[in-house]
């Protein structure tokens, strides 16, 4: 993917008003015969091609018409320059040398010459251009940061908003991001965004600030994703797409890529419904512009297959995968083709076509290297198919082979290995090998904790460990993992994501198991509130959270509240019709039981109102550690 700085470097180089801040008397005619420069522009042409100023050395016409003159007079001596004029000319030549530099090394060499001829205040835009070039290459973020800082210090002196200042702030954000200083990066990018907002208010056109605004929004999305704040990052990616839609043709290939990027971001947070229209738009644009047999179309189809899988439309997913494979074969992209074939096998497993999946995987494994990560993934998928056929011995053997390969890749590819370990742990869990699953997930968690950009995965693994500990009766051990998961997942996906709701539901179950019904009721209330928003009040998981809340109030002896929530459970199940008859029957039984207990209770000290939700910090409910 092209780095943001490439676009900004091009934008900077083609704008005439982005020139070196020289004194107004910088361009002065050396003689009346020299080309003149617009005196209304106080800037030189540092960032645009310059024209050399040469004095006329010969006067051909005079030589032809006055041939009788002494030969010594045929050639005029050059006009004598003052020291001031000579200095101006030298600066002009140094400036031109910088402008004509194409490689990073030649640009740095020319910049050294500029440092001896210009003061620091005049080097702002030159520093910015060098910094953008370095950022484009991405090899030395420390040096990039140094030039970005020089540019910002030079350009940001009068506290007035300007496009160069916004670009310098964006470059500071990008360099800090490369150095994994995410909080610093976020600060500079937010300030750049504010500067651009002020410029918009002052009447700058979209053509002027559009590329810079897009770069800032894209970098904000990158930083927030790296910090685990994926829900917020989605907002920035949507703004990127809106900017593209305003500045590009509606069938632009680049607009297609922007739609695909947004679809991929939604898929990453498991929001496949939102992802679908964007990937379909990307596919439409790329087919029209590049034809059905392009790599871009193949990539679109593969992502569409993933999204259809997430929506449990497995037949459609397999169809898109097969179309993608045809293109990848035509282009000879063997590595991408192998991954697509593994995806196809997993789709066959989802459709219950286990024998077909195993045959597919047997063909793939013959094309892989003995110790390759791809080979490990093939064995993981094969284990899944065998597990579904209840061939547990064979399945475990496949998982052992996969783990043996992945063990050697932990340092080289920690993220890919962690993702594979998560899948392997789920297979062990399916076979009721809970201790093995927990041990592997803890190993995975230790790897993810070293990758700050994978906070969402860290939260997911913590939640899984907590749930398995709860399932195996290790309730006190489960609570810290669930609490950590709730914090990580809230920061990554927002406080109303359904995954956060499941974690709080499990926390409630843990507190209820420890005979702490008040804490349990608080957690169940949080879970119900989240699920009502994210899934709807009639979703089976939302109903279960409401049922748990009723149970917690019943244990507390708050029968009026318990009955109220149990009635809501009944109303919700009734909306499902015949498909929920058994659940409805059980809900009525529990309601009658609560009513009987309520009739035998006469204490006026029992709560008659729902417990308040826990205090929040950054939309994150804190878990109480003791009952009052």
């Amino acid at each position: 993917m092209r780095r943001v700085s490439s676009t900004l470097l091009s934008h900077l180089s083609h704008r005439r008003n982005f020139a070196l801040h020289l004194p107004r008397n910088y361009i002065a005619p050396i003689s009346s015969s020299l080309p003149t420069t617009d005196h209304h522009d106080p800037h030189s042409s540092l960032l645009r091609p310059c024209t050399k100023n040469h004095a006329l050395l010969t006067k051909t016409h005079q030589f032809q018409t006055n041939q009788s003159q002494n030969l010594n007079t045929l050639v005029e001596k050059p006009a004598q320059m003052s020291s001031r004029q000579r200095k101006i000319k030298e600066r002009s030549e140094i400036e031109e040398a910088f402008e004509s530099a194409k490689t990073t090394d030649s640009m740095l060499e020319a910049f050294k010459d500029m440092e001896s001829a210009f003061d620091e205040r005049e080097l702002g835009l030159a520093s910015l251009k060098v910094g953008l070039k370095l950022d484009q290459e991405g090899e030395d973020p420390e040096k990039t940061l140094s030039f970005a800082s020089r540019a910002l210090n030079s350009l940001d002196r009068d506290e007035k908003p300007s496009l160069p200042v916004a670009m310098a702030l964006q470059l500071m954000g990008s360099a800090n991001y490369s150095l994994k200083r995410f909080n610093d990066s976020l600060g500079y990018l937010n300030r750049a965004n504010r500067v651009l907002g002020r410029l918009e208010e002052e009447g700058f056109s979209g053509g002027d600030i559009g590329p810079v605004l897009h770069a800032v929004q894209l970098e904000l999305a990158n930083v927030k994703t790296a910090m685990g704040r994926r829900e917020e990052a989605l907002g920035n990616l949507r703004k990127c797409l809106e900017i593209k839609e305003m500045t590009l043709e509606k069938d632009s290939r680049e607009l297609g890529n922007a739609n695909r990027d947004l679809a991929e971001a939604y898929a990453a947070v498991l929001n496949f419904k939102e992802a679908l229209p964007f990937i379909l738009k990307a596919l439409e644009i790329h087919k029209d512009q590049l034809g059905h047999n392009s790599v871009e179309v193949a990539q679109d189809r593969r992502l569409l297959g993933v999204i259809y899988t997430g929506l449990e439309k497995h037949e459609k997913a397999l169809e898109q995968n097969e179309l993608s494979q045809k293109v990848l074969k035509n282009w000879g992209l063997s590595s991408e083709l192998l991954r697509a074939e593994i995806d196809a096998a997993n789709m066959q497993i989802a459709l219950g076509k286990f024998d077909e999946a195993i045959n597919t995987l047997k063909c793939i494994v013959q094309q892989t290297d003995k110790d390759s990560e791809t080979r490990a993934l093939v064995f993981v998928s094969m284990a899944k198919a065998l597990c579904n056929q209840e061939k547990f011995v064979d399945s475990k053997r496949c998982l052992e082979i996969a783990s043996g390969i992945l063990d050697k890749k932990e340092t080289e590819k920690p993220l890919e290995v962690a993702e594979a370990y998560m899948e392997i742990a789920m297979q062990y869990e399916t076979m009721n090998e809970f201790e093995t699953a927990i041990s592997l997930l803890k190993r995975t968690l230790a790897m993810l904790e070293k990758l700050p950009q994978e906070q969402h995965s860290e939260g997911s693994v913590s939640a899984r460990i907590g749930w398995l500990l709860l399932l195996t009766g290790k309730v006190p051990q489960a609570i810290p993992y669930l609490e950590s998961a709730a914090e990580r997942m809230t920061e990554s996906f927002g406080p109303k994501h359904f995954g956060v709701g499941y974690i709080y539901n499990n926390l409630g179950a843990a507190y209820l198991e420890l005979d702490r019904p008040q804490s349990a009721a608080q957690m169940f209330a949080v879970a119900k509130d989240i699920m009502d928003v994210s899934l709807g009040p009639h979703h089976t998981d939302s109903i279960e959270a409401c049922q748990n809340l009723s149970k917690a109030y019943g244990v507390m002896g708050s029968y009026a509240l318990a009955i109220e929530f149990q009635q809501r459970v009944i109303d919700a199940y009734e909306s499902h019709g015949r498909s929920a008859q058994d659940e409805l029957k059980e809900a009525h039984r529990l309601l009658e039981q609560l009513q009987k207990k309520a009739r035998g209770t006469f204490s006026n000290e029992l709560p008659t109102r729902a417990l308040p939700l826990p205090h929040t910090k950054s939309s994150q409910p804190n878990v109480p550690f003791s009952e009052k």
Side-chain angles (χ1 to χ4, degrees):
M1 186 176 179
R2 190 182 183 194
R3 292 181 69 88
V4 167
S5 52
S6 299
T7 304
L8 290 191
L9 188 60
S10 174
H11 188 60
L12 181 66
S13 298
H14 286 85
R15 289 194 57 82
R16 177 172 177 168
N17 59 319
F18 284 176
L20 186 63
H21 288 271
L22 299 176
R24 289 184 177 273
N25 60 1
Y26 161 56
I27 301 291
I30 296 176
S31 72
S32 60
S33 62
L34 297 180
T36 58
T37 305
D38 184 1
H39 292 273
H40 296 290
D41 186 355
H43 305 138
S44 82
S45 54
L46 171 64
L47 302 177
R48 58 184 173 84
C50 296
T51 303
K52 280 191 176 182
N53 296 324
H54 296 294
L56 288 175
L57 300 181
T58 61
K59 294 188 178 181
T60 307
H61 178 71
Q62 186 181 26
F63 173 73
Q64 291 174 338
T65 56
N66 299 287
Q67 295 182 25
S68 61
Q69 291 181 347
N70 188 296
L71 290 175
N72 290 334
T73 66
L74 294 180
V75 179
E76 286 188 356
K77 294 181 180 180
Q80 293 295 318
M81 291 185 185
S82 68
S83 60
R84 177 174 173 277
Q85 289 172 326
R86 190 179 301 111
K87 183 176 181 181
I88 290 172
K89 186 172 184 295
E90 288 173 358
R91 284 160 62 104
S92 177
E93 290 174 348
I94 291 171
E95 176 189 353
E96 183 181 352
F98 178 81
E99 260 308 293
S100 62
K102 301 300 181 185
T103 66
T104 304
D105 288 341
S106 60
M107 189 178 287
L108 288 169
E109 191 67 30
F111 187 84
K112 286 181 181 178
D113 293 336
M114 292 183 68
E115 287 180 304
S116 63
F118 300 93
D119 64 40
E120 191 66 26
R121 294 189 64 176
E122 296 171 323
L123 292 173
L125 285 164
S127 299
L128 178 58
K129 189 172 182 179
V130 175
L132 287 170
K133 182 68 173 177
L134 290 166
D135 194 48
Q136 179 184 345
E137 296 182 347
E139 295 178 359
D140 194 343
E142 286 285 3
K143 185 179 284 188
T144 301
L145 185 63
S146 173
F147 278 97
S149 181
R150 288 181 71 172
L152 185 61
N153 290 336
S154 173
L155 298 169
D156 190 25
R157 288 179 177 269
D158 55 8
E159 297 185 357
K160 292 182 179 179
S162 71
L163 212 46
V165 168
M167 294 175 74
L169 288 165
Q170 186 278 332
L171 183 60
M172 289 288 291
S174 180
N176 277 288
Y177 170 75
S178 297
L179 293 166
K180 299 189 185 304
R181 300 170 186 170
F182 301 131
N183 285 322
D184 290 342
S185 177
L186 191 61
Y188 286 114
L189 292 169
N190 281 331
R191 187 180 164 205
N193 203 30
R194 290 194 295 271
V195 170
L196 292 168
R198 289 175 63 187
L199 290 175
E200 275 189 304
E201 292 173 1
E202 292 179 6
F204 271 67
S205 68
D208 286 329
I209 68 172
V212 186
L213 183 59
H214 179 271
V216 170
Q217 291 297 325
L218 187 56
E219 206 72 69
L220 278 169
N222 291 337
V223 173
K224 289 176 181 178
T225 299
M227 297 174 75
R229 293 160 60 175
R230 291 183 170 239
E231 198 72 23
E232 291 181 45
L234 282 170
N236 296 111
L237 285 175
R238 290 202 73 136
K239 289 180 181 177
C240 285
L241 181 58
E242 290 169 4
I243 293 167
K244 293 285 188 185
E245 288 173 337
M246 289 188 292
T247 57
L248 298 173
E249 296 293 331
K250 64 179 182 180
D251 56 356
S252 163
R253 173 182 172 180
E254 192 176 346
L255 188 58
N257 292 341
N259 274 277
R260 184 173 63 209
D261 289 344
L262 187 53
E264 194 168 7
Y266 272 114
V269 298
L270 308 181
N271 194 339
F272 302 109
K273 185 177 179 181
E274 287 285 349
L276 184 59
F278 293 109
I279 192 58
L280 289 174
K281 182 66 176 177
L283 180 59
E284 177 189 350
I285 292 172
H286 287 144
K287 282 194 300 184
D288 289 345
Q289 290 296 305
L290 304 170
H292 290 258
N293 196 38
S294 72
V295 175
E296 295 287 353
V297 167
Q299 291 174 343
D300 291 341
R301 290 195 186 282
R302 187 178 176 197
L303 179 55
L304 181 56
V306 171
I307 291 168
Y308 276 139
T309 299
L311 294 170
E312 298 187 357
K313 297 179 179 180
H314 301 296
E315 292 285 0
K316 286 187 174 183
L318 195 56
E319 177 187 352
Q320 292 299 322
N321 181 276
E322 289 170 354
L323 290 170
S324 176
Q325 284 190 48
K326 289 179 182 178
V327 177
L328 295 173
K329 284 178 184 176
N330 291 339
W331 284 92
L333 300 173
S334 56
S335 176
E336 290 85 348
L337 181 59
L338 283 176
R339 292 301 182 98
E341 289 174 343
I342 296 171
D343 288 346
N346 289 326
M347 292 169 189
Q348 290 170 337
I349 293 170
L351 287 166
K353 300 177 180 180
F354 306 124
D355 289 330
E356 288 183 35
I358 290 171
N359 289 333
T360 300
L361 293 165
K362 283 180 179 178
C363 292
I364 299 171
V365 78
Q366 295 174 5
Q367 305 172 54
T368 60
D369 296 331
K370 185 178 179 181
D371 293 323
S372 70
E373 175 202 344
T374 303
R375 190 181 185 89
L377 296 177
V378 171
F379 278 107
V380 172
S381 294
M382 195 173 290
K384 187 191 299 183
L386 292 166
C387 182
N388 276 280
Q389 294 178 322
E390 298 187 357
K391 297 178 181 179
F392 297 141
V393 174
D394 292 339
S395 179
K396 289 177 186 177
R397 177 59 185 153
C398 287
L399 293 177
E400 288 168 3
I401 294 171
S403 296
I405 296 171
L406 294 167
D407 287 348
K408 304 170 187 176
K409 305 284 184 179
E410 285 189 11
T411 304
E412 180 185 348
K413 296 182 176 181
L415 178 56
E416 290 82 353
V417 172
E419 290 174 346
Y421 280 167
M422 284 187 265
E423 182 63 35
I424 292 172
M426 288 184 68
Q427 298 307 316
Y428 281 117
E429 182 185 317
T430 302
M431 293 182 283
N432 294 329
E433 297 278 348
F434 298 125
E435 292 301 326
T436 305
I438 291 170
S439 175
L440 193 55
L441 286 171
K442 286 182 178 179
R443 184 174 174 180
T444 304
L445 187 61
M447 294 171 64
L448 292 172
E449 285 172 345
K450 299 174 184 177
L451 303 171
Q453 68 271 28
E454 291 301 314
Q455 182 171 284
H456 64 293
S457 298
E458 185 183 338
S460 178
V461 172
S462 290
R464 203 74 190 171
I465 294 172
W467 182 77
L468 287 172
L469 290 169
L470 194 59
L471 190 67
T472 53
K474 299 173 182 177
V475 181
Q477 295 178 35
I479 288 177
Y481 284 102
L482 292 171
E483 290 174 342
S484 176
E487 181 180 352
R488 298 285 180 271
M489 296 287 278
T490 298
E491 290 177 359
S492 297
F493 301 134
K496 298 300 181 182
H497 192 272
F498 65 88
V500 180
Y502 289 129
I503 296 170
Y504 279 110
N505 199 50
N506 288 334
L507 268 171
Y511 286 125
L512 204 58
E513 191 74 20
L514 293 175
D515 196 25
R516 294 169 60 181
Q518 182 171 324
S519 294
Q522 289 177 317
M523 295 301 100
F524 288 138
V526 174
K528 179 183 179 300
D529 179 58
I530 293 170
M531 290 180 175
D532 282 353
V533 172
S534 59
L535 302 174
H538 290 174
H539 190 280
T540 53
D541 292 329
S542 301
I543 299 172
E544 182 184 346
C546 191
Q547 178 74 78
N548 288 337
L549 188 55
S550 173
K551 183 178 179 180
Y553 280 124
V555 172
M556 291 170 60
S558 305
Y559 296 116
L561 285 171
I563 289 169
E564 177 186 337
F565 285 107
Q566 189 62 32
Q567 186 60 56
R568 293 187 192 180
V569 171
I570 290 171
D571 294 342
Y573 275 133
E574 284 178 344
S575 69
H576 284 253
R578 293 184 179 181
S579 63
Q581 281 186 341
D582 292 341
E583 291 85 352
L584 184 59
K585 184 177 179 181
E586 175 64 12
H588 275 294
R589 187 189 69 79
L590 292 173
L591 178 62
E592 291 173 4
Q593 192 177 73
L594 286 169
Q595 289 170 336
K596 286 180 182 179
K597 289 181 178 179
R599 284 194 290 270
T601 302
F602 300 101
S603 173
N604 293 324
E605 297 180 2
L606 296 175
T608 57
R609 293 185 301 170
L611 291 169
L613 296 184
H615 295 294
T616 59
K617 181 180 180 181
S618 301
S619 302
Q620 166 64 44
N622 292 326
V623 179
F625 288 91
S626 62
E627 302 297 325
K628 293 183 178 179

